[in-house]
Coordinates of all heavy atoms in Angstrom, one line a residue:
E1 N -41.5 -9.8 31.9 CA -40.1 -9.8 32.7 C -39.1 -9.8 31.7 O -38.4 -11.0 31.5 CB -40.1 -10.8 33.7 CG -41.3 -10.9 34.7 CD -41.1 -12.0 35.7 OE1 -40.0 -12.1 36.4 OE2 -42.0 -12.9 35.7
P2 N -38.6 -8.7 31.0 CA -37.6 -8.7 30.1 C -36.3 -9.4 30.6 O -35.5 -9.8 29.9 CB -37.4 -7.3 29.7 CG -38.8 -6.7 30.0 CD -39.2 -7.5 31.2
S3 N -36.1 -9.4 31.8 CA -34.8 -9.9 32.5 C -34.7 -11.3 32.2 O -33.6 -11.9 32.2 CB -34.8 -9.7 34.0 OG -35.8 -10.2 34.5
R4 N -35.8 -12.0 31.9 CA -35.9 -13.5 31.6 C -35.2 -13.7 30.2 O -34.7 -14.8 30.1 CB -37.2 -14.0 31.6 CG -37.9 -14.0 33.0 CD -39.4 -14.3 33.0 NE -39.7 -15.7 32.6 CZ -40.9 -16.3 32.6 NH1 -41.9 -15.4 32.8 NH2 -41.0 -17.5 32.2
F5 N -35.3 -12.7 29.4 CA -34.4 -12.9 28.1 C -33.0 -13.0 28.4 O -32.2 -13.7 27.7 CB -34.8 -11.7 27.1 CG -36.1 -11.8 26.5 CD1 -37.1 -10.8 26.8 CD2 -36.3 -12.6 25.6 CE1 -38.2 -10.8 26.1 CE2 -37.5 -12.8 24.9 CZ -38.5 -11.8 25.2
D6 N -32.5 -12.3 29.4 CA -31.0 -12.3 29.8 C -30.7 -13.7 30.3 O -29.6 -14.2 30.0 CB -30.8 -11.3 30.8 CG -30.7 -9.7 30.4 OD1 -30.4 -9.7 29.2 OD2 -31.0 -8.9 31.2
L7 N -31.6 -14.3 30.9 CA -31.3 -15.7 31.5 C -31.2 -16.7 30.3 O -30.4 -17.4 30.2 CB -32.4 -16.2 32.5 CG -32.5 -15.3 33.8 CD1 -33.6 -15.8 34.6 CD2 -31.1 -15.3 34.6
W8 N -32.2 -16.5 29.4 CA -32.1 -17.2 28.2 C -30.9 -17.1 27.3 O -30.2 -18.0 26.9 CB -33.3 -16.9 27.3 CG -33.5 -17.6 26.1 CD1 -32.9 -18.7 25.7 CD2 -34.7 -17.6 25.1 NE1 -33.4 -19.2 24.5 CE2 -34.5 -18.5 24.1 CE3 -35.9 -16.5 25.1 CZ2 -35.4 -18.6 23.0 CZ3 -36.7 -16.7 24.0 CH2 -36.4 -17.7 23.0
R9 N -30.4 -15.8 27.2 CA -29.2 -15.6 26.5 C -28.0 -16.1 27.3 O -27.0 -16.4 26.6 CB -29.0 -14.0 26.3 CG -30.0 -13.5 25.3 CD -30.0 -11.9 25.3 NE -28.7 -11.5 24.8 CZ -28.3 -10.3 24.8 NH1 -29.0 -9.3 25.3 NH2 -27.0 -9.9 24.3
K10 N -28.0 -16.2 28.6 CA -26.9 -16.7 29.4 C -26.8 -18.2 29.1 O -25.7 -18.7 28.9 CB -27.2 -16.4 30.9 CG -26.1 -17.0 31.8 CD -26.4 -16.8 33.1 CE -25.3 -17.4 34.1 NZ -25.7 -17.2 35.5
D11 N -28.0 -18.9 29.1 CA -27.8 -20.3 28.7 C -27.3 -20.5 27.3 O -26.5 -21.4 27.0 CB -29.2 -20.9 28.8 CG -29.8 -21.0 30.2 OD1 -28.9 -21.0 31.1 OD2 -31.0 -21.2 30.5
L12 N -27.7 -19.6 26.4 CA -27.3 -19.6 25.0 C -25.7 -19.4 24.9 O -25.0 -20.1 24.2 CB -28.0 -18.7 24.1 CG -27.5 -18.6 22.7 CD1 -27.6 -19.9 22.0 CD2 -28.4 -17.7 21.8
A13 N -25.2 -18.5 25.8 CA -23.8 -18.1 25.7 C -23.0 -19.4 26.1 O -22.0 -19.6 25.7 CB -23.6 -17.0 26.5
E14 N -23.6 -20.0 27.1 CA -22.8 -21.2 27.7 C -22.7 -22.3 26.5 O -21.7 -23.0 26.3 CB -23.6 -21.8 28.8 CG -23.5 -21.0 30.1 CD -24.3 -21.5 31.2 OE1 -24.9 -22.5 31.1 OE2 -24.2 -20.8 32.3
W15 N -23.8 -22.4 25.8 CA -23.7 -23.4 24.6 C -22.8 -22.9 23.5 O -22.1 -23.7 23.0 CB -25.1 -23.5 24.0 CG -25.2 -24.4 22.8 CD1 -25.3 -25.7 22.7 CD2 -25.1 -24.0 21.4 NE1 -25.3 -26.2 21.4 CE2 -25.2 -25.0 20.7 CE3 -25.0 -22.7 20.8 CZ2 -25.1 -24.9 19.2 CZ3 -24.9 -22.6 19.4 CH2 -25.0 -23.8 18.6
M16 N -22.7 -21.6 23.4 CA -21.8 -21.0 22.4 C -20.3 -21.3 22.8 O -19.5 -21.6 22.0 CB -22.0 -19.6 22.2 CG -23.2 -19.3 21.3 SD -23.5 -17.6 21.0 CE -24.9 -17.5 20.0
Y17 N -20.0 -21.1 24.0 CA -18.7 -21.4 24.6 C -18.3 -22.8 24.2 O -17.2 -23.2 23.9 CB -18.7 -21.1 26.1 CG -18.3 -19.7 26.4 CD1 -19.2 -18.9 27.0 CD2 -17.1 -19.2 26.0 CE1 -18.9 -17.5 27.3 CE2 -16.7 -17.8 26.3 CZ -17.6 -17.0 26.9 OH -17.4 -15.7 27.2
E18 N -19.3 -23.7 24.6 CA -19.0 -25.2 24.3 C -18.7 -25.4 22.8 O -17.9 -26.3 22.5 CB -20.1 -26.1 24.7 CG -20.4 -26.1 26.4 CD -21.6 -26.8 26.7 OE1 -22.3 -27.4 25.7 OE2 -22.0 -26.8 27.9
Q19 N -19.4 -24.8 21.8 CA -19.3 -25.1 20.4 C -18.3 -24.3 19.7 O -17.6 -24.8 18.9 CB -20.7 -24.7 19.8 CG -21.9 -25.4 20.2 CD -21.7 -27.0 20.1 OE1 -21.4 -27.3 18.7 NE2 -22.0 -27.9 21.0
Y20 N -18.1 -23.0 20.2 CA -17.1 -22.1 19.5 C -16.0 -21.5 20.2 O -15.1 -21.0 19.8 CB -18.0 -21.0 18.9 CG -19.1 -21.4 18.1 CD1 -20.3 -21.4 18.4 CD2 -18.6 -21.7 16.6 CE1 -21.3 -21.8 17.5 CE2 -19.7 -22.0 15.8 CZ -21.0 -22.1 16.2 OH -22.0 -22.4 15.3
G21 N -16.0 -21.8 21.6 CA -14.9 -21.4 22.4 C -15.0 -20.0 22.9 O -14.3 -19.5 23.8
E22 N -16.1 -19.4 22.5 CA -16.4 -18.0 23.1 C -17.9 -17.6 22.6 O -18.4 -18.3 21.7 CB -15.5 -17.0 22.4 CG -15.5 -16.7 21.0 CD -14.5 -15.6 20.6 OE1 -13.3 -15.8 20.7 OE2 -15.0 -14.5 20.2
S23 N -18.4 -16.6 23.2 CA -19.7 -16.2 22.9 C -19.6 -14.7 22.4 O -18.5 -14.1 22.3 CB -20.6 -16.3 24.1 OG -21.9 -15.8 23.9
D24 N -20.7 -14.2 22.1 CA -20.8 -12.8 21.6 C -22.2 -12.2 21.9 O -23.2 -13.0 21.7 CB -20.5 -12.7 20.1 CG -20.5 -11.3 19.6 OD1 -21.6 -10.7 19.4 OD2 -19.3 -10.7 19.5
D25 N -22.3 -11.0 22.5 CA -23.5 -10.5 22.9 C -24.5 -10.2 21.8 O -25.7 -10.4 21.9 CB -23.3 -9.1 23.7 CG -22.8 -9.3 25.1 OD1 -22.8 -10.5 25.5 OD2 -22.4 -8.4 25.7
R26 N -23.9 -9.9 20.6 CA -24.6 -9.6 19.5 C -25.4 -10.9 19.0 O -26.4 -10.9 18.5 CB -23.9 -9.0 18.3 CG -23.4 -7.5 18.5 CD -22.4 -7.2 17.6 NE -21.2 -8.0 17.6 CZ -20.1 -7.9 16.8 NH1 -20.2 -7.1 15.8 NH2 -19.0 -8.7 17.0
A27 N -24.6 -12.0 19.0 CA -25.0 -13.3 18.5 C -26.2 -13.9 19.5 O -27.1 -14.3 19.0 CB -23.9 -14.3 18.4
T28 N -26.0 -13.7 20.7 CA -26.9 -14.2 21.7 C -28.3 -13.4 21.4 O -29.4 -14.0 21.5 CB -26.6 -14.1 23.1 OG1 -26.2 -12.9 23.6 CG2 -25.4 -15.1 23.4
A29 N -28.1 -12.2 21.3 CA -29.4 -11.3 21.1 C -30.0 -11.6 19.7 O -31.2 -11.7 19.6 CB -29.0 -9.8 21.1
G30 N -29.1 -11.8 18.8 CA -29.7 -12.0 17.4 C -30.4 -13.4 17.4 O -31.5 -13.5 16.7
Y31 N -29.8 -14.4 18.0 CA -30.5 -15.7 17.9 C -31.8 -15.6 18.6 O -32.8 -16.1 18.2 CB -29.6 -16.8 18.8 CG -28.5 -17.4 18.0 CD1 -27.6 -16.8 17.3 CD2 -28.5 -18.9 18.1 CE1 -26.5 -17.5 16.5 CE2 -27.5 -19.6 17.4 CZ -26.5 -19.0 16.7 OH -25.5 -19.7 15.9
V32 N -31.9 -15.2 19.9 CA -33.0 -15.1 20.7 C -34.2 -14.1 20.0 O -35.3 -14.6 20.0 CB -32.8 -14.6 22.0 CG1 -34.1 -14.2 22.9 CG2 -32.0 -15.6 22.9
M33 N -33.7 -13.1 19.4 CA -34.6 -12.3 18.7 C -35.3 -13.0 17.6 O -36.5 -13.0 17.4 CB -33.9 -11.1 18.1 CG -34.7 -10.1 17.1 SD -33.7 -8.8 16.5 CE -32.4 -9.6 15.6
G34 N -34.6 -13.7 16.7 CA -35.2 -14.6 15.6 C -35.9 -15.7 16.2 O -37.0 -16.0 15.6
W35 N -35.5 -16.4 17.1 CA -36.2 -17.6 17.6 C -37.5 -17.1 18.2 O -38.4 -17.9 17.9 CB -35.4 -18.2 18.8 CG -34.1 -19.0 18.2 CD1 -33.9 -19.4 16.9 CD2 -33.1 -19.5 19.1 NE1 -32.8 -20.2 17.0 CE2 -32.2 -20.2 18.3 CE3 -32.8 -19.2 20.4 CZ2 -31.0 -20.8 18.8 CZ3 -31.6 -19.9 20.9 CH2 -30.8 -20.6 20.0
Y36 N -37.6 -16.2 18.9 CA -38.9 -15.6 19.5 C -39.9 -15.3 18.5 O -41.0 -15.7 18.4 CB -38.7 -14.5 20.6 CG -40.0 -14.2 21.1 CD1 -40.3 -14.7 22.4 CD2 -40.9 -13.3 20.5 CE1 -41.5 -14.5 23.0 CE2 -42.2 -12.9 21.1 CZ -42.4 -13.6 22.3 OH -43.6 -13.3 23.0
L37 N -39.4 -14.5 17.5 CA -40.4 -13.9 16.5 C -40.9 -15.0 15.5 O -41.9 -14.9 14.9 CB -39.8 -12.7 15.8 CG -39.6 -11.4 16.6 CD1 -38.6 -10.5 15.9 CD2 -40.8 -10.9 16.9
H38 N -40.0 -16.1 15.4 CA -40.4 -17.1 14.6 C -41.6 -17.9 15.1 O -42.4 -18.4 14.3 CB -39.3 -18.2 14.4 CG -39.5 -19.4 13.6 ND1 -40.0 -19.2 12.2 CD2 -39.6 -20.7 13.9 CE1 -40.1 -20.5 11.9 NE2 -40.0 -21.3 12.8
Q39 N -41.8 -17.9 16.4 CA -43.0 -18.6 17.0 C -44.4 -18.1 16.5 O -45.2 -18.9 15.9 CB -42.9 -18.7 18.6 CG -41.5 -19.1 19.1 CD -41.1 -20.5 18.3 OE1 -41.8 -21.4 18.3 NE2 -39.9 -20.3 17.8
P40 N -44.7 -16.9 16.6 CA -45.9 -16.4 16.1 C -46.1 -16.4 14.6 O -47.0 -16.7 14.0 CB -46.2 -15.1 16.6 CG -44.8 -14.6 17.1 CD -44.1 -15.8 17.4
G41 N -44.9 -16.2 14.0 CA -44.8 -16.1 12.5 C -45.1 -17.6 11.9 O -45.8 -17.7 10.9

């Protein structure tokens, strides 16, 4: 269910707003991409 990645990125975007005052689609995608692939690696 790839749409679940969007929910994950939405939660991350909210954290980014709290920390940096704004979010960025590239950053939420980049974070999740690296985080996920790190698990099997």
Side-chain angles (χ1 to χ4, degrees):
E1 298 181 61
S3 60
R4 294 171 65 180
F5 283 112
D6 287 333
L7 297 177
W8 186 358
R9 291 174 63 191
K10 180 180 178 182
D11 290 341
L12 176 57
E14 292 176 357
W15 176 84
M16 286 180 175
Y17 273 114
E18 293 176 0
Q19 297 295 313
Y20 300 100
E22 65 181 72
S23 179
D24 186 279
D25 285 346
R26 292 168 296 174
T28 60
Y31 271 56
V32 168
M33 175 177 66
W35 284 344
Y36 183 93
L37 290 166
H38 178 59
Q39 306 313 304

